[in-house]
Amino acid sequence: MGHWFSRNILEPGKLPTLLALTSFVLTFLVTRTVTRLIRAGKGPFRNVSSGGLHIHHVVPGVVLTVLGGFGAVASGRHGFGAAAFAVVFGIGAGLVLDEFALILHLDDVYWSEEGRKSVEVVVLTAALVLLPLSGFSPLGVDDVTEEERQDRVGFLLTLVLNFLLILVALVKGKLRTALIGVFVPFVAIVGAVRLARPGSWWWRHVYRRRHRARARGTVRAYRHDKRWTRVRRRVQDLIGGFQERVPGRGSGSP
C-alpha cells in the first residue's frame, strides 16, 4: 500500500489534490453540522455579525480560497507549502460552495428550495476532483514496466471515452447520470443514448425540429421526475437538513 501510494500519489504530485479534496469534503460536512445546530439553537455556535451586518461563511471562504489558490500556484506540487496551501484552498472552497445558491441568487436562500443547489454542486465538485485523483497517471511515475505502461495507456483511453460519455450526458441534461458515471465507468452511456431532458442544450439545438422527440422526451422526463424526485429530496434533506423546522427562528446561515 505504501509503495502504491508513493508511486501513484506522491511521485505524480497528487498529494495536494488529495489533501484539498479531503479538507473540502470535511469542511462542507462540518459547516452543515454547525449551521444545523445554530438553526436548532443547540450548542455553543451562533451566527457571526459585525455592526448589525450578518457575515455569511462564504466571506472567509473567499479569502481562504484566494490565499490557498495563489499559495498553491507559487509553491508547486511538492513540499510542505504545497500541502498546506492545498488544505487552505480546500477549506475555503468548502465554505464558498456550501453557499453556492446564495451567490447564484444573490439572496439568502440557504434553507430554501433554491438552497438545494449548493448540495448538488458540492457533490458534483467532489466527484469531478475524485475522477483524476483516483486514476493512475503515468506522468511523474518512475520505473514503469512495459506491461504497466500498456495498462496505463488503456486506462487513460477508457477515461477519455468515459469523459466524452459524461459530457454528452451533461449536454442532454442528465446531470445525475453523468455524476454516477464519474464513479462507475460507462454508466453515463445510459444518459448519452437516451432522450435529452426538456430545456437542455441538446433539447434546444438537436431537437429543434424533431417534434416527436420533444414530445417523447417531455413525457419521459415527467415520469422520471415523478418517480425519483421524492428519493432525491430525501437524500438532500439528509445531507443539508432542509426539512428541519425550528419555530420562531430565521432561515439565515452563519
Side-chain angles (χ1 to χ4, degrees), residues 54-64 95-96 99:
H54 176 69
I55 306 298
H56 291 269
H57 52 267
V58 67
V59 176
V62 170
V63 175
L64 292 176
L95 293 173
V96 170
E99 294 201 305

Side-chain angles (χ1 to χ4, degrees), residues 114-194:
E114 291 81 1
R116 297 175 182 273
K117 294 184 179 67
S118 296
V119 177
E120 294 187 357
V121 168
V122 168
V123 174
L124 178 61
T125 301
L128 292 178
V129 175
L130 186 62
L131 178 61
L133 183 63
S134 61
F136 294 111
S137 173
L139 301 178
V141 181
D142 300 325
D143 302 324
V144 179
T145 65
E146 185 64 29
E147 182 179 355
E148 288 178 324
R149 186 176 292 106
Q150 293 178 358
D151 291 341
R152 291 170 185 270
V153 171
F155 177 82
L156 290 177
L157 291 177
T158 302
L159 195 65
V160 170
L161 177 59
N162 191 54
F163 174 77
L164 293 177
L165 292 174
I166 292 173
L167 184 61
V168 173
L170 286 174
V171 298
K172 282 191 170 185
K174 310 287 186 175
L175 176 61
R176 294 170 187 84
T177 304
L179 178 60
I180 297 175
V182 172
F183 295 98
V184 185
F186 298 114
V187 168
I189 195 173
V190 177
V193 300
R194 290 173 68 88

